[in-house]
Amino acid sequence: MSAGQAERSGGGTQAGDRWSERVTRVLAPNPSLMTLEGTNTYVIGEPGSDTVAVIDPGPPEEEHVQRVLRAALGRRVELVLLTHTHADHAEGAAAFAARADAPLAAVERDWATAGAPSLAAGAALRAGGVVLEPLPTPGHAADHCCFWLDAERAMFTGDHILGRGTTVVEWPGGDMAAYLDSLEAVRRFEPARLYPGHGPMVGDPATAIREYVDHRMQREAQVLAALEAGDRTPAEMVSRIYADVDPALHRFAELSVRAHLAKLVREGRALEQDGRFTPP
Ligand SMILES: [Zn+2]
């Protein structure tokens, strides 16, 4: 069996994992605490199309780039898209797009190349024989964008919704109020499946989104309770709320608590002065 036949038959292959007849996932070699097994680079093409689109080329690792190009099965890369510009998704994107001679599109215009389509809500993109609709989803990052693949009722969710666990929404880059609005924006599409930026495909998006919202609401309630109990700084709140979590992670937890506090301050449910927080 040739490599191409192996890829067409599905399952794991050297060049990528066939997750649907249109979508191949190529796992980048950058596993970590924050990236799970690594970043998912997606190669998308309608069966019979002689082009593909690529979402999140990932790190500038030659072996990974080779696997992404192999997963295209000889089809030309027509468009490269970024869900956001964090390094684990985007560091190799400009070089990959240049090598594939394809435009690179991103919400962050400094990253987009000349001639790339702008990623506006509802402005459908045509590449790889499919229609991809950008859905700007600020929250994890201000420039975050999901992509709707109507042919599969599927959403590419980047770091907005992961394959398992929760994503980080950290002050000051992250915005908790925007993040929750963006979860609702994805839910309204009633997706049948999610292709996340890290981890496995999500087959029950409604449940996953509900769990994400519940998790944030529970955390917000804990922050409000800590405020009522007399905690005045994010560090104090983290010691209380994350008492059973490895202290090595408290630095990240503090930025997450800070993102919740920013939302509460904006809503008039907490007051801030010189980095100290009080009930209104
Ligand atoms: Zn990210």
Side-chain angles (χ1 to χ4, degrees), residues 84-89 140-141 144 158-159 167-168 198:
H84 63 306
T85 55
H86 285 169
D88 55 316
H89 298 258
H140 169 77
H144 199 286
D159 281 2
T167 193
V168 296
H198 305 280

Side-chain angles (χ1 to χ4, degrees), residues 33-57:
L33 207 58
M34 309 300 278
T35 61
L36 305 178
E37 302 91 332
T39 300
N40 292 334
T41 296
Y42 289 103
V43 177
I44 305 137
E46 184 70 18
S49 171
D50 58 4
T51 62
V52 296
V54 172
I55 295 180
D56 288 350

Side-chain angles (χ1 to χ4, degrees), residues 130-222:
V130 300
V131 174
L132 287 164
E133 188 182 319
L135 176 66
T137 42
H140 169 77
D143 68 344
H144 199 286
C145 189
C146 293
F147 298 96
W148 174 246
L149 176 60
D150 195 55
E152 298 187 0
R153 298 198 59 74
M155 191 74 85
F156 292 90
T157 54
D159 281 2
H160 185 43
I161 302 171
L162 303 183
R164 65 167 184 280
T166 57
T167 193
V168 296
V169 178
E170 290 178 350
W171 183 84
D175 182 316
M176 195 61 72
Y179 181 72
L180 288 163
D181 288 347
S182 292
L183 285 179
E184 172 61 15
V186 172
R187 194 198 59 76
R188 274 199 297 266
F189 275 75
E190 298 181 10
R193 57 170 57 175
L194 307 179
Y195 294 116
H198 305 280
M201 185 170 76
V202 177
D204 183 0
T207 298
I209 293 168
R210 193 163 53 240
E211 286 172 358
Y212 266 57
V213 173
D214 287 351
H215 171 74
R216 300 300 174 179
M217 289 296 105
Q218 278 168 21
R219 195 63 89 208
E220 181 173 290
Q222 289 174 319

